[in-house]
Amino acid sequence: MQFSRTVFYQSMPDDAYEQNARKRGFRFVIGIDEAGRGPLAGPVSVAAVRLGSDAVFEGLNDSKKLSEKKRELIFAEIMNCEAVEWSHSFAETKEIDEINILRATEAAMARTATQLSEADYALIDGRPVKGFPIASEGIVKGDSKSLSIAAASVIAKVLRDRRMVEWDAEYPEYGFAKHKGYGTKVHLEALRKYGPCPIHRRSFAPVAEAERVFGQRG
């Protein structure tokens, strides 16, 4: 008896989008990605990256597909590579609550792009951003398709995770170092027990509800 099996090959990001933009006359093509839109606490982290032709990182992929150890290794390689230009911004909790998560993320993307003075075209993970300060296009799941977006995803993720570890030292009762602000069971239980802390997003329903219930108990 013969047995057959199906083998699935995981596609990796490449520079096809970057090359296509250069063919259309753009010289300084950057990739932009964010980390942290979904959590109940902490900032959104946004990075922009321009990769030179000598910037090669083995295993570079969407940060969500990499282990923490692999992300840190690639992050260190990016930081030490002279053929890479990058910038980074946070959209802090106050900004998120004041203008909503989508607008805060897009504002941080715009700030991050303009920090790279020579950038003339942006590949943005996700949908197009209306009114972006430079020519751009949105690429759905771009962090698994474009090398520069993948590099941006690694930077954004690593820097946000490090920020959440710092917050964990100040607010240890919530467990930020482990769940990074996402709505895990442990996090939601801590919210109900202690109420929100200053870095929680009050515009997010679980936080608003926890604040209401905690306030009633008080």
Side-chain angles (χ1 to χ4, degrees):
M1 180 181 292
Q2 291 184 331
F3 294 91
S4 64
R5 64 175 181 171
T6 301
V7 178
F8 295 93
Y9 294 94
Q10 180 178 332
S11 62
M12 298 290 285
D14 57 33
D15 66 347
Y17 285 94
E18 289 84 347
Q19 293 288 0
N20 184 54
R22 294 187 187 102
K23 288 177 182 177
R24 288 182 282 134
F26 297 102
R27 296 182 60 198
F28 303 105
V29 182
I30 63 174
I32 299 178
D33 200 7
E34 54 78 24
R37 282 181 62 171
L40 305 179
V44 172
S45 176
V46 176
V49 175
R50 185 169 78 87
L51 298 177
S53 58
D54 295 333
V56 179
F57 308 104
E58 183 178 354
L60 175 59
N61 203 343
D62 170 8
S63 64
K64 297 184 292 296
K65 297 179 180 178
L66 302 174
S67 67
E68 182 178 359
K69 180 179 180 181
K70 183 64 174 177
R71 279 198 305 269
E72 288 284 351
L73 287 172
I74 293 178
F75 177 84
E77 291 176 5
I78 293 172
M79 295 298 102
N80 292 320
C81 182
E82 294 183 357
V84 173
E85 294 182 15
W86 65 279
S87 59
H88 175 264
S89 297
F90 281 124
E92 301 289 356
T93 303
K94 181 180 179 182
E95 182 178 13
I96 293 168
D97 285 341
E98 286 180 350
I99 64 175
N100 78 44
I101 186 66
L102 176 61
R103 291 176 61 192
T105 300
E106 292 180 346
M109 286 180 168
R111 289 195 297 269
T112 308
T114 55
Q115 288 173 14
L116 295 175
S117 59
E118 291 186 314
D120 59 3
Y121 196 81
L123 305 172
I124 302 173
D125 182 55
R127 297 181 179 182
V129 177
K130 185 177 180 180
F132 206 69
I134 63 174
S136 64
E137 67 178 291
I139 304 171
V140 176
K141 296 184 178 178
D143 44 11
S144 62
K145 299 175 181 178
S146 156
L147 281 173
S148 59
I149 296 179
S153 79
V154 169
I155 293 174
K157 173 65 173 169
V158 169
L159 293 181
R160 185 182 191 279
D161 283 358
R162 291 180 179 181
R163 170 67 74 86
M164 295 308 294
V165 170
E166 293 172 359
W167 283 123
D168 181 76
E170 189 160 348
Y171 305 106
E173 61 270 27
Y174 297 96
F176 290 136
K178 292 184 177 180
H179 54 65
K180 307 302 189 293
Y182 283 89
T184 64
K185 181 180 179 180
V186 170
H187 188 188
L188 292 173
E189 289 175 350
L191 259 176
R192 288 189 288 267
K193 183 177 181 179
Y194 302 107
C197 75
I199 69 164
H200 276 104
R201 302 173 182 177
R202 266 92 176 152
S203 55
F204 280 41
V207 178
E209 176 63 15
E211 186 168 49
R212 183 185 68 79
V213 173
F214 187 79
Q216 288 178 344
R217 291 205 306 266

